[in-house]
Amino acid sequence: MLSAFLNAFRTPDLRKKILFTLGILTVFRLGSSIPTPNVDTAAIRTCAELATTGQQAGMYSMINLFSGGALLQLSIFALGIMPYITSSIILQLLTVVIPRLETLKKEGGAGREKITQYTRLLTIVLAVLQATSFTMLAVNGQLFQDCPDDIVYSTNIFPIVVMILTMTAGTSIIMWLGELITDRGVGNGMSVLIFTQIAATFPAAMWNIRNGQPDPNQGLLVMLAVIVIGLFVMAGVVYVEQAQRRIPVQYAKRMVGNRLLGGSSTYIPLKVNQSGVIPVIFASSILYLPVLFTMFQPTGRLAEWVAANLATGTGLWYNIIFFTLIIFFAYFYVSITFDPVEISDNMKKYGGFIPGIRAGKPTEDYLAYVISRLTAPGSLYLATISLIPSVAILWFNADQNFPFGGTSLLIMVGVGLDTVKQIESQLHQRHYEGFLK
């Protein structure tokens, strides 16, 4: 593996791509630490520390999940990549519902570019809404409910508008940086930025595990034990993420003009975790809404129930609802992204068939049966991995930002595998061995 890294840096164009990506990530992390105008940095630092260690630490960890600590600091990149993720998910779902978007998706590169433009516009709209919400919470003193300090210098209209525009512009810059990485760097830009935001919270989370023990030496041993267990869990996640069911497909020979085509064999790769990390993100977003509601409406029976059962991120009701939502969204997402009817029609159109299965309706039923059987263990795997932080909080006295579990681990492993595969493919093009022999 060390030789593969050296070969990657010995190749001039690949070295430029890697260094360019690292430079963009440096700019991204720098922007995550620059405060928005009109923000009292000393006061917000004190309030953020109280929020992440107090009784409502779970609520703030959910809100701060994808910002790498930038949101609780109200930096210019406070909103992070979440507006883009949300708009991408919305457009992906609308593609199934709106015929015009479905037609654009089938038009190839030009159609995808049009959908990308719609995604960008929707991202700006969502960024304005989220920036307005968090700015007004900060101005009204509701962003940190247990902190008496004023975190903004002025509550006049002009400074408030400047804060909103600055956060919105920060989201636009993040979109641009992500597209730069995709075009000129290594890996998918948006995924790499998410990876960076989550990885930025690792040192503090591990140090909190050490400080959570009464004895410093015992805390160090617990931290090392968590790292070892986390590496084993990560290895298991990699194993499952790479697992797939290959359905063989045979293409019959046919005459096209004077040429005989076909007669080849291939397969349809169906991953055990066909839906990826999307169900976890959907479930987290659904549970995030009532928590956000309690910030605007902190009183009342509903707000008290949400604060007691959902805001902590560790309660029995939270885990039951989270577990159920992940399984539901896993089946839902697979049902809208994998269409057995369309796949069967395409196979029939080009003379393909599954050995032992007749073309047409039997092929549709067989594909639907296989994907249903695969989604069951895949959804249970996602739900189980997502509950690891709750177990860690009980066993290791960790906080809600426990790094080895849930959405953070799944995203980091997925992005890491995708980036390594891209580097490997470029190494193979230059006759080098990849990272995995």
Side-chain angles (χ1 to χ4, degrees):
M1 182 175 289
L2 181 60
S3 62
F5 275 110
L6 293 177
N7 290 332
F9 279 94
R10 286 171 183 166
T11 307
D13 55 342
L14 188 55
R15 180 175 64 248
K16 290 180 181 178
K17 290 183 178 182
I18 294 176
L19 293 178
F20 179 81
T21 303
L22 294 177
I24 293 295
L25 295 181
T26 302
V27 173
F28 177 60
R29 287 308 303 162
L30 181 62
S32 299
S33 60
I34 298 177
T36 302
N38 194 38
V39 172
D40 188 342
T41 55
I44 199 171
R45 192 178 298 115
T46 303
C47 293
E49 184 177 353
L50 291 174
T52 53
T53 56
Q55 296 180 351
Q56 296 181 325
M59 178 178 68
Y60 288 101
S61 66
M62 290 178 64
I63 296 174
N64 209 36
L65 180 62
F66 290 106
S67 69
L71 180 56
L72 294 187
Q73 300 294 333
L74 286 183
S75 69
I76 59 175
F77 289 169
L79 300 181
I81 204 70
M82 274 306 293
Y84 185 86
I85 294 176
T86 306
S87 62
S88 299
I89 293 173
I90 293 174
L91 262 297
Q92 200 167 21
L93 294 176
L94 290 180
T95 302
V96 184
V97 179
I98 302 177
R100 171 59 180 165
L101 293 178
E102 187 175 3
T103 304
L104 287 175
K105 184 179 180 181
K106 295 179 179 179
E107 288 181 357
R112 287 193 297 269
E113 180 62 28
K114 198 70 175 177
I115 293 178
T116 301
Q117 293 180 6
Y118 293 153
T119 305
R120 293 170 183 163
L121 293 175
L122 183 58
T123 300
I124 299 301
V125 173
L126 294 178
V128 171
L129 295 176
Q130 292 187 20
T132 303
S133 300
F134 287 112
T135 299
M136 295 311 298
L137 286 175
V139 170
N140 296 330
Q142 296 178 336
L143 184 61
F144 303 101
Q145 298 177 5
D146 296 333
C147 185
D149 298 339
D150 294 329
I151 59 178
V152 295
Y153 290 111
S154 174
T155 57
N156 295 329
I157 185 64
F158 181 74
I160 293 175
V161 172
V162 170
M163 292 177 66
I164 295 173
L165 293 179
T166 301
M167 291 185 189
T168 305
T171 300
S172 304
I173 294 175
I174 290 175
M175 274 198 304
W176 178 60
L177 295 178
E179 293 177 359
L180 284 178
I181 293 177
T182 303
D183 295 338
R184 304 181 186 179
V186 177
N188 181 280
M190 298 303 174
S191 299
V192 173
L193 293 181
I194 297 174
F195 179 96
T196 305
Q197 287 179 316
I198 295 175
T201 63
F202 261 56
M206 298 307 301
W207 197 250
N208 288 339
I209 293 176
R210 176 188 179 276
N211 294 336
Q213 304 298 323
D215 184 12
N217 294 327
Q218 181 184 0
L220 182 61
L221 292 176
V222 171
M223 184 180 71
L224 294 176
V226 169
I227 293 175
V228 173
I229 294 174
L231 292 177
F232 276 106
V233 174
M234 193 174 295
V237 172
V238 171
Y239 179 78
V240 176
E241 290 293 324
Q242 297 285 76
Q244 58 181 221
R245 166 76 181 274
R246 297 181 176 181
I247 300 178
V249 178
Q250 183 73 35
Y251 284 92
K253 295 182 179 180
R254 54 195 176 95
M255 291 296 297
V256 179
N258 296 326
R259 300 177 60 186
L260 182 64
L261 300 178
S264 60
S265 298
T266 184
Y267 61 87
I268 302 174
L270 298 179
K271 296 179 63 177
V272 174
N273 182 23
Q274 187 76 9
S275 57
V277 75
I278 297 298
V280 182
I281 296 177
F282 276 20
S284 301
S285 301
I286 294 297
L287 290 176
Y288 164 81
L289 294 178
V291 175
L292 186 62
F293 168 77
T294 59
M295 297 187 67
F296 290 97
Q297 187 69 32
T299 59
R301 295 182 60 182
L302 178 60
E304 293 176 359
W305 188 89
V306 170
N309 296 280
L310 299 183
T312 59
T314 58
L316 177 63
W317 279 108
Y318 174 87
N319 289 323
I320 292 175
I321 296 174
F322 194 38
F323 192 91
T324 306
L325 285 176
I326 290 175
I327 295 177
F328 169 77
F329 281 121
Y331 276 94
F332 172 76
Y333 189 77
V334 169
S335 67
I336 65 175
T337 56
F338 184 86
D339 188 0
V341 177
E342 182 180 358
I343 294 175
S344 176
D345 290 342
N346 290 336
M347 290 171 54
K348 188 177 181 180
K349 184 186 303 182
Y350 294 102
F353 62 93
I354 300 174
I357 307 294
R358 288 190 299 174
K361 189 65 167 59
T363 300
E364 298 173 13
D365 296 339
Y366 177 76
L367 291 175
Y369 171 77
V370 172
I371 195 64
S372 178
R373 292 286 296 272
L374 282 178
T375 305
S379 61
L380 291 175
Y381 146 78
L382 282 177
T384 302
I385 292 295
S386 300
L387 294 184
I388 288 180
S390 299
V391 178
I393 291 170
L394 295 176
W395 287 2
F396 301 111
N397 196 24
D399 64 2
Q400 283 76 9
N401 292 319
F402 182 75
F404 294 110
T407 309
S408 58
L409 180 62
L410 293 168
I411 291 176
M412 292 189 67
V413 170
V415 174
L417 288 175
D418 180 65
T419 305
V420 167
K421 285 180 180 178
Q422 291 197 26
I423 297 176
E424 273 191 329
S425 65
Q426 299 196 34
L427 287 175
H428 284 306
Q429 290 176 3
R430 296 162 178 83
H431 309 291
Y432 287 120
E433 291 182 343
F435 292 101
L436 303 176
K437 296 184 179 179

